[in-house]
Amino acid sequence: MDKLLIEGGVRLQGEVAMSGAKNAALPILCAALLTRDPVTFTNVPQLNDIATLLKLIGQMGVKVERDGDAVTLDASGLDNPVAPYELVKTMRASILVLGPLVARCGEARVSLPGGCAIGARPVDQHIKGLQAMGAEVSVEHGYVHAVATRLKGARLFTDMVTVTGTENLMMAACLADGDTVIENAAREPEVADLAHCLIAMGADISGVGTDMIRIRGVERLHGATHRVMPDRIETGTYLCAIAATGGDGRLTGTSASYLEAVIDKLTDAGCRIDTEPDAIRLRAPARLKAVNLRTAPYPAFPTDMQAQFMALNAVADGTAVIRETIFENRFMHAVELQRLGADIGIDGNTAVVQGVASLQGATVMATDLRASASLVIAGLVAEGETVIERIYHLDRGYERLEEKLARLGAHARRIH
Ligand code: EPZ
């Protein structure tokens, strides 16, 4: 398995371009299943998760063409509405094919994604919503089997804010008979980006970006071209890396408009941030101030940035209290950060981080995507050499990571 070797202590400086958003591209690629016409997406990041989803969609009978950051999908030949376990187990967002398949084919058989390092990750809200729209749904032998001649518009209310739950139900509702309202809908920008793509394909959706999304079902959707939004979590991750190393960096091809909560915390930590229409520049002080944070659904502080801020707080002045309210087990990075010398106490879903003068390089292990990013940030500031094992987690969500870090002056290289 590949490892990442980082020589710490370098102030990150320079300019690097961000990629398209993984968590927007994944549902958007699934939207192509809703129409017989070819659909083209641009700014699609080259990531393992994207490759896995394209493989999953391809085995359903969909034609897949990839040209750089552009992907064209032609689902006219879709004849196998099944998502098998061996593919779904490696990428739980595969559940996003469920809604489109039921809406387009009247049937779907999708392996239950199973949990992952950060939590049980159930999909009960996805199932409850489809049942409310008239689907017969059973869960047998680890598969969700859903059947509906034609889904019916309904008033849906999810028990908690669920990003992919909202996305699955919004896609299913596009072809339903009648109107659907999703209450308590997720407001994450990736949900809005998917909605804009569906509208370009002929869907009738209002309330985009709010917690009440209204979808008026139509007979069919047509082809379109859609550019995937920039990855706000990748952007936030690099901002944290520049901040933690006391650097001065400019990120292009991205926007600050979906990162208010993160930028607010980086400013509190002492960073100076200048925003342009499609770029962000961050200048950091030699030593950051510790910042408290509590994760919650958008527009509050994103859970996907919690691990990165734990690394940043590990070397900041003062004590930080971090509350993780979304996932039940998203502090796996803490024990690895402690191996680098961080002073972190965990009590349930609360972590107390005492800033230390410096971290010392060591060998650490990545456990999930954003935990890995946290270890990269810590390795960049630690004295000496840090080796991060199991970096396949990183490759799921960070395109050309070493190349982008190198553009900012980091000494990082992959060892096979
Ligand atoms: C999406 O996951 C993201 N993934 C996650 O990013 C992100 O951390 C998460 O939203 C929260 O923002 C994609 O978009 C592909 P949820 P998702 O449904 O949709 C519970 C990354 O790092 N829940 O919003 O799976 C669930 O257990 C990944 O890129 C149910 O109980 O998350 C969790 O506690 C990690 N039943 C909470 O709701 C359900 O049916 C929020 O989960 C659905 C969710």
Side-chain angles (χ1 to χ4, degrees), residues 93-401:
S94 310
I95 193 69
L96 283 164
V97 301
L98 179 63
L101 289 177
V102 179
R104 168 80 189 282
C105 309
E107 179 171 15
R109 195 181 294 279
V110 177
S111 167
L112 273 174
C116 71
I118 64 179
R121 314 289 295 275
V123 290
D124 55 297
Q125 301 298 307
H126 302 237
I127 292 171
K128 181 182 118 179
L130 289 173
Q131 285 171 326
M133 296 170 78
E136 287 294 317
V137 184
S138 58
V139 179
E140 290 152 0
H141 312 296
Y143 278 76
V144 178
H145 183 215
V147 181
T149 316
R150 185 177 183 189
L151 292 169
K152 288 182 183 37
R155 194 164 193 80
L156 309 177
F157 192 99
T158 54
D159 296 354
M160 77 295 292
V161 173
T162 159
V163 173
T164 50
T166 301
E167 291 165 343
N168 235 336
L169 297 173
M170 180 165 69
M171 287 191 280
C174 286
L175 297 178
D177 177 12
D179 292 359
T180 297
V181 176
I182 303 174
E183 303 219 36
N184 202 20
R187 295 170 53 192
E188 271 67 8
E190 293 76 21
V191 179
D193 200 31
L194 169 63
H196 294 138
C197 173
L198 291 167
I199 290 167
M201 293 168 65
D204 183 345
I205 302 174
S206 55
V208 176
T210 74
D211 63 358
M212 184 185 284
I213 301 175
R214 190 179 300 276
I215 305 106
R216 173 151 296 173
V218 294
E219 287 306 310
R220 68 181 57 76
L221 296 185
H222 51 70
T225 297
H226 180 78
R227 179 176 176 76
V228 173
M229 68 178 280
D231 195 316
R232 64 190 172 102
I233 304 302
E234 181 194 29
T235 303
T237 303
Y238 282 96
L239 289 175
C240 284
I242 297 163
T245 57
D248 175 355
R250 184 167 177 270
L251 307 178
T252 59
T254 186
S255 157
S257 50
Y258 307 118
L259 276 171
E260 293 93 342
V262 171
I263 287 175
D264 187 50
K265 289 298 174 184
L266 288 167
T267 307
D268 289 352
C271 297
R272 177 175 163 188
I273 292 170
D274 301 300
T275 60
E276 304 159 45
D278 64 351
I280 304 176
R281 181 180 179 188
L282 181 144
R283 280 170 272 190
R287 193 148 166 85
L288 297 167
K289 290 195 289 291
V291 285
N292 298 328
L293 57 96
R294 180 183 183 280
T295 67
Y298 191 87
F301 189 89
T303 173
D304 288 351
M305 285 300 305
Q306 177 260 108
Q308 297 91 317
F309 267 75
M310 191 179 284
L312 194 146
N313 276 322
V315 289
D317 249 352
T319 302
V321 178
I322 296 177
R323 296 273 316 281
E324 171 57 57
T325 73
I326 304 289
F327 290 109
E328 65 269 28
N329 186 33
R330 204 171 196 175
F331 285 146
M332 310 275 276
H333 39 287
V335 283
E336 297 303 313
L337 291 171
Q338 285 163 345
R339 287 180 50 72
L340 298 168
D343 178 353
I344 304 169
I346 303 288
D347 176 12
N349 70 348
T350 301
V352 177
V353 186
Q354 308 273 2
V356 293
S358 64
L359 299 177
Q360 286 73 43
T363 298
V364 288
M365 188 185 296
T367 51
D368 60 87
L369 171 55
R370 307 305 175 184
S372 324
S374 165
L375 298 178
V376 170
I377 292 167
L380 289 169
V381 300
E383 288 164 7
E385 188 175 84
T386 295
V387 177
I388 302 174
E389 299 185 333
R390 300 191 181 179
I391 59 165
Y392 58 84
H393 289 291
L394 275 170
D395 296 335
R396 298 186 48 183
Y398 291 96
E399 186 181 42
R400 300 196 310 276
L401 179 85

Side-chain angles (χ1 to χ4, degrees), residues 5-7 10-13 245 376 380 401-413:
L5 190 151
I6 300 177
E7 194 60 46
V10 176
R11 284 182 72 244
L12 295 193
Q13 291 182 293
T245 57
V376 170
L380 289 169
L401 179 85
E402 305 95 277
E403 184 188 315
K404 293 189 180 186
L405 286 175
R407 288 182 69 84
L408 291 170
H411 297 161
R413 64 188 173 85

